[in-house]
Amino acid sequence: MTATDLGLPGIGSGGLDSVPTTDAKQTAKDYTSDQEVRWCPGCGDYAVLAAVRQFLPTLGIKRENTVFVSGIGCSSRFPYYLNTYGMHSIHGRAPTIATGLATTRPDLSVWVVTGDGDALSIGGNHLIHALRRNVNIKILLFNNRIYGLTKGQYSPTSEVGKVTKSTPMGSLDHPFNPISLALGAEASFVGRALDSDRKSLQAVLQAAAEHRGSALVEIFQDCPIFNDGSFDLLRKPDTKDQRIIPVTHGEPIRFGPADDNGLGTYAVVQNGFGLSVVEAATVDAGDIVTHDATDHELAFALSRLSDQDLNHTITGIFRNQPRHTYDDAARAQVQAARDAEPDADLQTLLNGHDTWTII
Amino acid sequence: MTTSDTPVEARDSEVVQRDRVVIRFAGDSGDGMQLTGDRFTSETANFGNDLSTLPNFPAEIRAPAGTLPGVSSFQLHFANYDILTPGDRPDVLVAMNPAALKANIKDLPHGGVLIVNTDEFTKRNLTKVGYESNPLEDDSLEPYAVHGVAMATLTRGALEETGLSKKDAERAKNMFALGLLSWMYHRPSESTERFLREKFAKKPEIAEANVLAFKAGHAYGETTEAFAVTYEVAPARLDPGTYRQITGNAALAYGIIAAGRTTSLPVFLGSYPITPASDILHELSRHKSFGVTTFQAEDEISGVGAALGASFGGSLGVTTTSGPGIALKAETVGLAVTLELPLLVIDVQRGGPSTGLPTKTEQADLLQALHGRNGEAPLPVIAPCTPGDCFSAAVEAAAIAVRYRTPVMLLSDGALANGSEPWKIPDVSELPTVDPGFATEPNAPDGSGEFWPYLRDTETLARPWAIPGTPGLEHRVGGLEKADGHGAISYDPDNHDRMVRLRQAKIDGIEVPDLVVDDPDAGPDNAGADLLVIGWGSTYGPINAAARRVRKLGHSVATAHLRHLNPMPANLGEVLRSYRTVLCPEMNLGQLALLLRGEHLVDVKSYTKVAGLPFGAEELQDVFLDYLTGTHPDASRNGSRTGTSNQITGAQA
Ligand code: SF4
C-alpha cells in the first residue's frame, strides 16, 4: 500500500468558520431549555451548565446550528438543559455520533459532553480515535473521579486505594491521566479548567470553540454525594496557590503567591526530559520555561506534573496546534471526486463495462 | 437471442451441445482460483448464458501451501435457460494440486471430467495431504475422464521468451487453465485479455505473461489431441433487457448509492472491515462522486454510531457488517429504534456463533436481527434472495427507513455476497422515490408554537424528522423514554406502555406486499399442491430449483419466498393454513420455522443444514420427495409438534 498526497485544503481556519452567525442578541436565557435541572444539590455540573449557558451566546453563531451530544452519566444529562439541538445517546458512544454528524454537517458547532467513566472507561476507544482523527468536535470531559449515576463505584481516574462500594478494600487500578492520554492520542487541542473557576473555564471553552479540530477540555467537577471534596486541594485558599499552575501561551510559567514584581513565587523549569517546580528566586529567569501551546513535548511534560494527589495541577491550554481535520478532508475528497466526475451518472455506473442485451 | 458476438472458429474436435454445465476450479489459495473463476464467469456472462456462482475459500489469507485447509475453489453453473443455483456437483473439476483433488473429488460424479495439473503431483505434495500412492498412477480415478496436463511446465515453456523467472512464469498457470477451459466451452476471450492488460497496467510484463499463458492454454486445447470434445452452451433466453454480471456485495453497494438518489439524501457509510461485508465498504469508497461519504471506523460500534449521527443530521446513515458486528452494534441500533431515525443496517451473514466460519455462508442471524436488542425494539427486516436482488432490497430498505423513521435491517449472506449472476439492469428513472419530508415548522397541537418531536403522522405513525440547523425546532432526543407527542423525558408507567406499543404498531403497520405463492398446478379445476415449501434469503435458488425437479418428476409442490421478515405479509397465515404440509428449509436450526409456528400456530416442518454451504437442489429434491411420497417420518404426523426430530432429520441429511 502506498501513501498518497492528499492535496488537502489549508489549515488554520477557525472552528466556527463554516457555522452561520447571527447578529441577534442572544442571552443565557435563550440557551436554557424548559427542562428542570435534576442534579444533586451542590453538584459541580450546575456551575459548568451556568458557565456554558453564559458562554454560548458570546460565540455569535445561530443557536439552531449548535448541537450537544452526550453519553451516559450524570453529566450526560447536560443536553436536556440547553435549548439547542441535542442527543443524549448511549454509554461511551457520543464521540462516534458526533463524528458522523460533524463530518456530514460543517455548518454545525458540535459539542460532546462526557464524564470520566463515559469517556475513559466504556468509551475510551472512541475518545482516542476521535482525537487522532481530529474531527471538528469539542469534547467536555467532566472528571469527578467517581461513578455518580450508578451510585458510587471507582472510575478510571480514581486514586489507587479508593474505597468505594465496589472496592471496599480499596481500588487496585492505576488511574489515567486524561491530559496525557489525550496528548498521546494526538489531540490537537487540550485544555483543563476547574468547574468553579468560571472565567478560566470560559476562556478555555472559547479557545476550544475557535480551534478547528478535536478539542478535549477536562473539567474538574465535584460530586458532593459520592466523592465529596475530591478537588478541595485545588479550591482551598491555603493549598490552591501552591498547586494550581495556570499557563498562558507565550508567557513564562510562574505561579503561587505574587512576589515583589507581581509574578508567582514558583516557576517551572526543565529537569532532564521532564519539568519540575522550583522557587523562582532560586533560578535564572532565562531557565524558566515559557509556555508554548504548539510544543507537543512540552504539553506532555506539563501534564506529567499532576499526579493522583493533584500536585502542581496545570490549568489552561496545554496544546493548541491546528492540523488537518478529518471532516474537512473527508468533505474535500467527496468534492474532489465530484469535480473530477461532474456528470457522474448512476445509470452508467449500474451498466458497468460489460453488458449484453436480450431482445 | 443475444447481440453478443458468438465466436465461431474452425475446430477439428467434435462439438457437443449442452443445456447446462457446472465447472469447479480448485487449487491452492495462492493459485488464483477466485480470479480464474471470476474471469470465466465474465466470459460466460458476455456470451449470454444464465449463470450462478459459488466461490469457496478459506478464512486464512494464505493457509500453508499445498494443504487441505489451503484449498480454494470457485464453482460456476451456466446454462441456456434461467438457472437458480450454482449447481450441486461439478461436471468438470479442475484440480491444480493434490490437495484440491482430495478436497473436491468426492463431489465429482462418476463419468465427470477431471483436469489435473500434473506438475504438482510430487511425492512431497502427495504425502502432505495423505495420499499414499499417486492417484494419477493408481486406479482410484478410474471412474472419471481424467486429463493430466503439465500446466506449470507448459506455462513456463510458453513464457520462455519473456525472460520472467521460473517462479513468476509458473504463477500464470491459472490463466493457462482458464485458456484451456475457455477453449473447451467456446467462451469469448477478448474481455479476459482486456481485463489482464488493465489489471496489470502498471506491470506490462506481467500482463503480457498472463495473456500469453491464457493463449497457450487455449492453443493447447486446440492443437493437442487430448481433448476430443468441446461443448457449446447456447445463450439463455432470459427476459428481454440489458444484463450484466453482478455479485451480491456489488449490487448492495450500488443499491445504497441508488438509495441516496431515491431518498434525495446524501449517503454516509460508517463501517468496520469484516468478512464477508468489507467489499461493500470498498465499493462505496470508490464512488464519492455520487456524494457518498465513507468512514472506516475504529470499531463496529463507532461505525453504526457515526451513521446514526449522520442520520440525525439529515443524511442516509448506513452501516455494513456481518453477524459479530451486529452483536456489537445492537445497543446503538436500539438507540436508533427509540430515536426513530432512518438507518440502514446491513448484515452479510456468515457462519456463527462467535467468529464461526467467516468465509462461509449461513442464515442464522434472523432471530438476532429481529430480537437481538434489549427491551421491545422492533425494526423492519428485509432479505434479498439472489445476488442481483441485493440492489432492490437496499433501495427498498432505505425507502422504509426514511418513510417510517426507523432503522431497517437487511440480511444478505456469504453466498449472495460473493456469488454472482446475470442482472437485468434497472432503469434508474423508474426507481420509486421517497420524500424525506424534513420538518420545518413547529407542530404543537396546543398552538404554543413549540416543536413536538414525537407527534406522529396519523397514517404511518412516523415522527417528524427535524434536522439541526432548522430554526425554532431545537429539541433533544435520547435513549430515555419520551413522553408521547411532546418528547420530553418521561418515567410515567402508562406513557412507557403506550410508547412501547406505538413503536411496535408503527413497525407492524409498514406496508409490505402480499406473499406470492408459486403453485403451478393450482387452477380453477385443481386444488394445487399439498406441500408448500417456504424459504427466505439465499435459499430461494435451491428451493425453486428443487421444486422444478420434483415437478418434472410429476409431483405438485408449491413454493413461496419471504422477502419481508418483519413485518411479514398480511396474507401469510392464510397461505400457511391452506396447505396440508408446510416445509421450511433453512441454513440454521429452524429460526423462521419457529417464528411461523409461534405467530400462526401452523405445524411448519423444518429442514435444516448449517454446513457453511448453500443447499444443493438435489438434496432438497430428495427432501421434498420424501414429504410428497409420505416416506418422510414427519410427513405422516401432521399436527404433532416435532421440533426435536426436525433437527435430527436435518443433521442426518
Ligand atoms: S451523583 Fe454526583 S455527579 Fe451525579 S448529580 Fe449527584 S453530585 Fe452530581
Side-chain angles (χ1 to χ4, degrees), chain B residues 563-574:
Chain B
R563 177 187 186 78
H564 301 93
L565 281 319
N566 195 36
M568 292 194 192
N571 67 334
L572 175 61
E574 193 190 315

mmCIF file with all atom_site columns, all heavy atoms in Angstrom, chain B residues 563-574:
data_model
loop_
_atom_site.group_PDB
_atom_site.id
_atom_site.type_symbol
_atom_site.label_atom_id
_atom_site.label_alt_id
_atom_site.label_comp_id
_atom_site.label_asym_id
_atom_site.label_entity_id
_atom_site.label_seq_id
_atom_site.pdbx_PDB_ins_code
_atom_site.Cartn_x
_atom_site.Cartn_y
_atom_site.Cartn_z
_atom_site.occupancy
_atom_site.B_iso_or_equiv
_atom_site.pdbx_formal_charge
_atom_site.auth_seq_id
_atom_site.auth_comp_id
_atom_site.auth_asym_id
_atom_site.auth_atom_id
_atom_site.pdbx_PDB_model_num
ATOM 1  N N   . ARG B 1 563 ? -39.625 -12.246 1.555  1.00 0.00 ? 563 ARG B N   1
ATOM 2  C CA  . ARG B 1 563 ? -38.632 -11.183 1.428  1.00 0.00 ? 563 ARG B CA  1
ATOM 3  C C   . ARG B 1 563 ? -38.703 -10.292 2.663  1.00 0.00 ? 563 ARG B C   1
ATOM 4  O O   . ARG B 1 563 ? -37.697 -9.776  3.139  1.00 0.00 ? 563 ARG B O   1
ATOM 5  C CB  . ARG B 1 563 ? -38.959 -10.376 0.177  1.00 0.00 ? 563 ARG B CB  1
ATOM 6  C CG  . ARG B 1 563 ? -38.083 -9.177  -0.081 1.00 0.00 ? 563 ARG B CG  1
ATOM 7  C CD  . ARG B 1 563 ? -38.684 -8.412  -1.265 1.00 0.00 ? 563 ARG B CD  1
ATOM 8  N NE  . ARG B 1 563 ? -37.850 -7.318  -1.696 1.00 0.00 ? 563 ARG B NE  1
ATOM 9  C CZ  . ARG B 1 563 ? -36.763 -7.464  -2.438 1.00 0.00 ? 563 ARG B CZ  1
ATOM 10 N NH1 . ARG B 1 563 ? -36.352 -8.672  -2.769 1.00 0.00 ? 563 ARG B NH1 1
ATOM 11 N NH2 . ARG B 1 563 ? -36.072 -6.415  -2.818 1.00 0.00 ? 563 ARG B NH2 1
ATOM 12 N N   . HIS B 1 564 ? -39.921 -10.104 3.161  1.00 0.00 ? 564 HIS B N   1
ATOM 13 C CA  . HIS B 1 564 ? -40.134 -9.255  4.334  1.00 0.00 ? 564 HIS B CA  1
ATOM 14 C C   . HIS B 1 564 ? -40.276 -10.130 5.571  1.00 0.00 ? 564 HIS B C   1
ATOM 15 O O   . HIS B 1 564 ? -41.276 -10.797 5.749  1.00 0.00 ? 564 HIS B O   1
ATOM 16 C CB  . HIS B 1 564 ? -41.363 -8.376  4.138  1.00 0.00 ? 564 HIS B CB  1
ATOM 17 C CG  . HIS B 1 564 ? -41.238 -7.485  2.931  1.00 0.00 ? 564 HIS B CG  1
ATOM 18 N ND1 . HIS B 1 564 ? -41.710 -7.840  1.692  1.00 0.00 ? 564 HIS B ND1 1
ATOM 19 C CD2 . HIS B 1 564 ? -40.639 -6.269  2.784  1.00 0.00 ? 564 HIS B CD2 1
ATOM 20 C CE1 . HIS B 1 564 ? -41.425 -6.866  0.822  1.00 0.00 ? 564 HIS B CE1 1
ATOM 21 N NE2 . HIS B 1 564 ? -40.771 -5.912  1.452  1.00 0.00 ? 564 HIS B NE2 1
ATOM 22 N N   . LEU B 1 565 ? -39.240 -10.099 6.408  1.00 0.00 ? 565 LEU B N   1
ATOM 23 C CA  . LEU B 1 565 ? -39.249 -10.926 7.607  1.00 0.00 ? 565 LEU B CA  1
ATOM 24 C C   . LEU B 1 565 ? -39.884 -10.197 8.769  1.00 0.00 ? 565 LEU B C   1
ATOM 25 O O   . LEU B 1 565 ? -40.266 -10.787 9.759  1.00 0.00 ? 565 LEU B O   1
ATOM 26 C CB  . LEU B 1 565 ? -37.822 -11.331 7.972  1.00 0.00 ? 565 LEU B CB  1
ATOM 27 C CG  . LEU B 1 565 ? -37.163 -12.480 7.198  1.00 0.00 ? 565 LEU B CG  1
ATOM 28 C CD1 . LEU B 1 565 ? -38.132 -13.621 6.947  1.00 0.00 ? 565 LEU B CD1 1
ATOM 29 C CD2 . LEU B 1 565 ? -36.541 -12.046 5.913  1.00 0.00 ? 565 LEU B CD2 1
ATOM 30 N N   . ASN B 1 566 ? -39.950 -8.881  8.667  1.00 0.00 ? 566 ASN B N   1
ATOM 31 C CA  . ASN B 1 566 ? -40.672 -8.087  9.657  1.00 0.00 ? 566 ASN B CA  1
ATOM 32 C C   . ASN B 1 566 ? -41.013 -6.740  9.050  1.00 0.00 ? 566 ASN B C   1
ATOM 33 O O   . ASN B 1 566 ? -40.109 -6.051  8.601  1.00 0.00 ? 566 ASN B O   1
ATOM 34 C CB  . ASN B 1 566 ? -39.837 -7.888  10.924 1.00 0.00 ? 566 ASN B CB  1
ATOM 35 C CG  . ASN B 1 566 ? -40.676 -7.387  12.080 1.00 0.00 ? 566 ASN B CG  1
ATOM 36 O OD1 . ASN B 1 566 ? -41.831 -7.778  12.230 1.00 0.00 ? 566 ASN B OD1 1
ATOM 37 N ND2 . ASN B 1 566 ? -40.104 -6.505  12.878 1.00 0.00 ? 566 ASN B ND2 1
ATOM 38 N N   . PRO B 1 567 ? -42.286 -6.360  9.007  1.00 0.00 ? 567 PRO B N   1
ATOM 39 C CA  . PRO B 1 567 ? -43.413 -7.232  9.309  1.00 0.00 ? 567 PRO B CA  1
ATOM 40 C C   . PRO B 1 567 ? -43.579 -8.230  8.168  1.00 0.00 ? 567 PRO B C   1
ATOM 41 O O   . PRO B 1 567 ? -43.138 -7.982  7.045  1.00 0.00 ? 567 PRO B O   1
ATOM 42 C CB  . PRO B 1 567 ? -44.592 -6.262  9.359  1.00 0.00 ? 567 PRO B CB  1
ATOM 43 C CG  . PRO B 1 567 ? -44.195 -5.142  8.462  1.00 0.00 ? 567 PRO B CG  1
ATOM 44 C CD  . PRO B 1 567 ? -42.716 -5.014  8.575  1.00 0.00 ? 567 PRO B CD  1
ATOM 45 N N   . MET B 1 568 ? -44.209 -9.335  8.480  1.00 0.00 ? 568 MET B N   1
ATOM 46 C CA  . MET B 1 568 ? -44.436 -10.337 7.440  1.00 0.00 ? 568 MET B CA  1
ATOM 47 C C   . MET B 1 568 ? -45.724 -9.988  6.693  1.00 0.00 ? 568 MET B C   1
ATOM 48 O O   . MET B 1 568 ? -46.555 -9.241  7.197  1.00 0.00 ? 568 MET B O   1
ATOM 49 C CB  . MET B 1 568 ? -44.507 -11.710 8.087  1.00 0.00 ? 568 MET B CB  1
ATOM 50 C CG  . MET B 1 568 ? -43.156 -12.130 8.660  1.00 0.00 ? 568 MET B CG  1
ATOM 51 S SD  . MET B 1 568 ? -43.098 -13.868 9.054  1.00 0.00 ? 568 MET B SD  1
ATOM 52 C CE  . MET B 1 568 ? -41.576 -13.949 10.006 1.00 0.00 ? 568 MET B CE  1
ATOM 53 N N   . PRO B 1 569 ? -45.877 -10.526 5.486  1.00 0.00 ? 569 PRO B N   1
ATOM 54 C CA  . PRO B 1 569 ? -47.064 -10.172 4.684  1.00 0.00 ? 569 PRO B CA  1
ATOM 55 C C   . PRO B 1 569 ? -48.362 -10.529 5.410  1.00 0.00 ? 569 PRO B C   1
ATOM 56 O O   . PRO B 1 569 ? -48.428 -11.524 6.140  1.00 0.00 ? 569 PRO B O   1
ATOM 57 C CB  . PRO B 1 569 ? -46.897 -11.028 3.423  1.00 0.00 ? 569 PRO B CB  1
ATOM 58 C CG  . PRO B 1 569 ? -45.446 -11.356 3.359  1.00 0.00 ? 569 PRO B CG  1
ATOM 59 C CD  . PRO B 1 569 ? -44.965 -11.421 4.759  1.00 0.00 ? 569 PRO B CD  1
ATOM 60 N N   . ALA B 1 570 ? -49.375 -9.732  5.152  1.00 0.00 ? 570 ALA B N   1
ATOM 61 C CA  . ALA B 1 570 ? -50.650 -9.896  5.867  1.00 0.00 ? 570 ALA B CA  1
ATOM 62 C C   . ALA B 1 570 ? -51.315 -11.226 5.537  1.00 0.00 ? 570 ALA B C   1
ATOM 63 O O   . ALA B 1 570 ? -52.005 -11.800 6.377  1.00 0.00 ? 570 ALA B O   1
ATOM 64 C CB  . ALA B 1 570 ? -51.571 -8.729  5.513  1.00 0.00 ? 570 ALA B CB  1
ATOM 65 N N   . ASN B 1 571 ? -51.114 -11.739 4.317  1.00 0.00 ? 571 ASN B N   1
ATOM 66 C CA  . ASN B 1 571 ? -51.805 -12.972 3.926  1.00 0.00 ? 571 ASN B CA  1
ATOM 67 C C   . ASN B 1 571 ? -51.033 -14.229 4.309  1.00 0.00 ? 571 ASN B C   1
ATOM 68 O O   . ASN B 1 571 ? -51.406 -15.335 3.920  1.00 0.00 ? 571 ASN B O   1
ATOM 69 C CB  . ASN B 1 571 ? -52.062 -12.967 2.413  1.00 0.00 ? 571 ASN B CB  1
ATOM 70 C CG  . ASN B 1 571 ? -50.755 -13.065 1.618  1.00 0.00 ? 571 ASN B CG  1
ATOM 71 O OD1 . ASN B 1 571 ? -49.705 -12.660 2.106  1.00 0.00 ? 571 ASN B OD1 1
ATOM 72 N ND2 . ASN B 1 571 ? -50.834 -13.601 0.408  1.00 0.00 ? 571 ASN B ND2 1
ATOM 73 N N   . LEU B 1 572 ? -49.930 -14.063 5.057  1.00 0.00 ? 572 LEU B N   1
ATOM 74 C CA  . LEU B 1 572 ? -49.051 -15.206 5.331  1.00 0.00 ? 572 LEU B CA  1
ATOM 75 C C   . LEU B 1 572 ? -49.781 -16.337 6.059  1.00 0.00 ? 572 LEU B C   1
ATOM 76 O O   . LEU B 1 572 ? -49.688 -17.505 5.670  1.00 0.00 ? 572 LEU B O   1
ATOM 77 C CB  . LEU B 1 572 ? -47.836 -14.737 6.136  1.00 0.00 ? 572 LEU B CB  1
ATOM 78 C CG  . LEU B 1 572 ? -46.876 -15.826 6.604  1.00 0.00 ? 572 LEU B CG  1
ATOM 79 C CD1 . LEU B 1 572 ? -46.276 -16.581 5.426  1.00 0.00 ? 572 LEU B CD1 1
ATOM 80 C CD2 . LEU B 1 572 ? -45.745 -15.211 7.436  1.00 0.00 ? 572 LEU B CD2 1
ATOM 81 N N   . GLY B 1 573 ? -50.517 -15.988 7.107  1.00 0.00 ? 573 GLY B N   1
ATOM 82 C CA  . GLY B 1 573 ? -51.199 -17.017 7.898  1.00 0.00 ? 573 GLY B CA  1
ATOM 83 C C   . GLY B 1 573 ? -52.173 -17.814 7.042  1.00 0.00 ? 573 GLY B C   1
ATOM 84 O O   . GLY B 1 573 ? -52.213 -19.051 7.076  1.00 0.00 ? 573 GLY B O   1
ATOM 85 N N   . GLU B 1 574 ? -52.901 -17.079 6.226  1.00 0.00 ? 574 GLU B N   1
ATOM 86 C CA  . GLU B 1 574 ? -53.879 -17.722 5.342  1.00 0.00 ? 574 GLU B CA  1
ATOM 87 C C   . GLU B 1 574 ? -53.179 -18.695 4.385  1.00 0.00 ? 574 GLU B C   1
ATOM 88 O O   . GLU B 1 574 ? -53.634 -19.819 4.168  1.00 0.00 ? 574 GLU B O   1
ATOM 89 C CB  . GLU B 1 574 ? -54.565 -16.598 4.557  1.00 0.00 ? 574 GLU B CB  1
ATOM 90 C CG  . GLU B 1 574 ? -55.802 -16.931 3.816  1.00 0.00 ? 574 GLU B CG  1
ATOM 91 C CD  . GLU B 1 574 ? -56.165 -15.743 2.916  1.00 0.00 ? 574 GLU B CD  1
ATOM 92 O OE1 . GLU B 1 574 ? -56.111 -14.575 3.399  1.00 0.00 ? 574 GLU B OE1 1
ATOM 93 O OE2 . GLU B 1 574 ? -56.450 -15.978 1.745  1.00 0.00 ? 574 GLU B OE2 1
#
